[in-house]
């Protein structure tokens, strides 16, 4: 489809959106925002992919326009997209949820960095994720994680009731329950995500990959620092339960269905119920690469495959 035809169709769906030139510049409500958007490679890629999808499937043109092409920034689109999902008719207006989200996204540079790292993580590690725009629109693990980032910001500001509201709605809508106080790094992949539970004092490092049905939980009703600490680059397999204030070292791998009650050293593999290290306890098999980045669920090391 020629660019001028696409632009005309987008303008019909989104009257406030106009292309300025072929360099992806844009004007929204008369304000030239090209100087801001042009430096955001992730957002440029998402918009390009949205245009491509709309060209291949014209039925999706208004859908992509409303959710992607009509927005000047990734933060604007993300806040609107999440608000539409989290709002409750007649009880929790879309505008109120949007204001909570956009305030958090735009006031915290670390959130903005993490959002883009999470998008790249999905494309890099999930072979089913062919386009970044698909992660942005459809991947509930990504959407739940960004809701948590906003809730965590609110929690840190002392707005705990609002933070708990976002947690509750995220749990209901995405089936992912992350306490607003939990600290989660950047470049995190929640793959499939259904049933993921992360407790209040849990910490998740950068570049981790966590599959569905994972619990980072406590061991009882004792308060205090009681939840797992997951290092950078860890891979946690589906259905795994990691319980208590235990440390999973950087680059480690936890096999699917494991129950982990003790610390796991860096670059090792733990499997089973209760989980045990692959290899001798005093000299476990070491992984050469970060398991959270390789997404290799079935090898003990980079040389020995099951």
């Amino acid at each position: 489809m020629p660019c001028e035809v696409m632009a005309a169709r987008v303008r019909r769906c989104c009257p406030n959106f106009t292309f300025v030139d072929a360099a992806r510049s844009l004007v929204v409500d008369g304000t030239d925002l090209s100087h801001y958007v042009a430096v955001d490679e992730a957002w440029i890629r998402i918009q390009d992919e949205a245009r491509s999808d709309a060209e291949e499937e014209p039925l999706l043109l208004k859908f992509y326009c409303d959710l992607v092409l009509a927005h000047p920034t990734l933060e604007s689109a993300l806040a609107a997209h999440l608000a539409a999902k989290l709002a409750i008719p007649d009880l929790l207006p879309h505008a109120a949820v949007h204001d909570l989200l956009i305030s958090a996204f735009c006031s915290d540079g670390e959130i903005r960095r993490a959002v883009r790292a999470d998008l790249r993580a999905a494309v890099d590690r999930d072979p089913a994720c062919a386009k970044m725009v698909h992660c942005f629109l459809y991947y509930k693990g990504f959407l739940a994680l960004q809701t948590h980032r906003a809730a965590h910001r609110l929690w840190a500001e002392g707005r705990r009731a609002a933070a708990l509201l976002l947690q509750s709605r995220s749990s209901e809508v995405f089936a992912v329950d992350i306490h607003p106080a939990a600290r989660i790094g950047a470049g995190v992949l929640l793959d499939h995500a259904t049933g993921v539970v992360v407790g209040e004092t849990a910490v998740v490092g950068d570049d981790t990959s966590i599959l569905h049905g994972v619990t980072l939980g406590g061991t009882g009703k004792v308060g205090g620092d009681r939840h797992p600490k997951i290092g950078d680059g860890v891979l946690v397999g589906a259905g795994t339960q990691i319980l208590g204030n235990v440390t999973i070292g950087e680059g480690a791998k936890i096999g699917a269905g494991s129950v982990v009650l003790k610390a796991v050293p860096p670059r090792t593999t733990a499997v089973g119920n209760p989980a045990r290290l692959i290899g001798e306890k005093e000299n476990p098999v070491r992984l050469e690469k970060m398991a959270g980045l390789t997404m290799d669920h079935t090898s003990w090391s980079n040389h020995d495959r099951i």
Side-chain angles (χ1 to χ4, degrees):
M1 181 187 302
C3 292
E4 60 272 17
V5 176
M6 173 65 76
R9 291 189 177 184
V10 170
R11 279 194 292 270
R12 285 199 297 271
C13 293
C14 310
N16 294 331
F17 183 97
T18 58
F19 291 98
V20 176
D21 57 37
R24 307 183 187 89
S25 297
L26 55 86
V27 170
V28 177
D29 291 334
T31 302
D32 185 0
L33 296 164
S34 58
H35 65 285
Y36 182 80
V37 177
V39 300
D40 188 345
E41 293 181 1
W43 186 231
I44 289 171
R45 175 173 177 176
I46 288 170
Q47 290 203 313
D48 282 348
E49 292 172 347
R51 293 186 192 102
S52 175
D53 277 3
E55 181 177 345
E56 293 175 4
E57 184 52 80
L59 177 67
L60 296 175
L61 179 58
K62 187 177 189 311
F63 177 76
Y64 276 112
C65 181
D66 289 348
L67 295 180
V68 178
L69 297 175
H71 294 275
T73 67
L74 176 53
E75 287 71 29
S76 169
L78 183 59
H81 186 30
L82 288 173
K85 291 182 175 293
L86 300 175
I88 305 174
D90 301 322
L91 288 176
L92 186 61
H94 177 281
V97 181
H98 178 272
D99 288 349
L100 281 178
L101 295 166
I102 198 67
S103 175
F105 295 152
C106 290
S107 62
D108 193 325
E110 284 302 305
I111 291 180
R112 296 195 296 274
R113 182 183 71 85
V115 169
R116 288 156 177 80
D118 295 343
L119 286 165
R120 288 192 296 271
V123 174
D124 291 345
R125 295 179 222 158
D126 183 356
C129 186
K131 295 183 178 181
M132 194 174 283
V133 70
H134 297 165
C135 175
F136 173 82
L137 291 173
Y138 308 132
Y139 280 37
K140 66 179 183 176
F142 169 78
L143 297 173
L145 191 51
Q146 308 327 310
T147 304
H148 166 73
R149 296 195 188 284
H152 183 72
R153 170 79 183 190
L154 293 169
W155 186 270
E157 293 175 346
R159 302 179 64 184
R160 297 196 169 188
L164 291 169
L165 171 66
L166 289 183
Q167 176 199 4
S168 175
R169 289 299 295 144
S170 182
S171 179
E172 292 170 358
V173 173
F174 303 123
V176 177
D177 192 357
I178 307 175
H179 193 282
R183 291 179 287 151
I184 298 182
V188 173
L189 173 63
L190 300 184
D191 197 3
H192 300 289
T194 301
V196 168
V197 177
V198 181
E200 178 182 12
T201 61
V203 176
V204 176
D206 295 339
D207 301 321
T208 58
S209 297
I210 298 174
L211 275 82
H212 50 285
V214 168
T215 297
L216 306 181
T219 57
K221 63 180 183 179
V222 176
D225 192 357
R226 61 196 184 279
H227 294 106
K229 310 296 180 283
I230 311 299
D232 295 346
V234 169
L235 172 61
V236 184
T240 292
Q241 314 298 303
I242 306 177
L243 306 177
N245 186 10
V246 297
T247 297
I248 310 300
E250 58 91 20
K253 179 191 307 184
I254 311 298
S258 297
V259 177
V260 182
L261 304 175
K262 297 181 180 180
V264 176
R267 305 281 184 132
T268 62
T269 301
V271 297
N273 180 9
R276 293 177 172 81
L277 297 178
I278 296 294
E280 298 178 5
K281 182 178 180 181
E282 301 303 322
N283 188 29
V285 175
R286 297 283 176 177
L287 301 171
E288 294 180 4
K289 297 180 180 179
M290 303 281 267
L293 297 178
T294 66
M295 295 293 288
D296 183 351
H297 293 263
T298 59
S299 67
W300 295 358
S301 73
N302 294 310
H303 305 293
D304 303 318
R305 292 185 176 271
I306 298 174

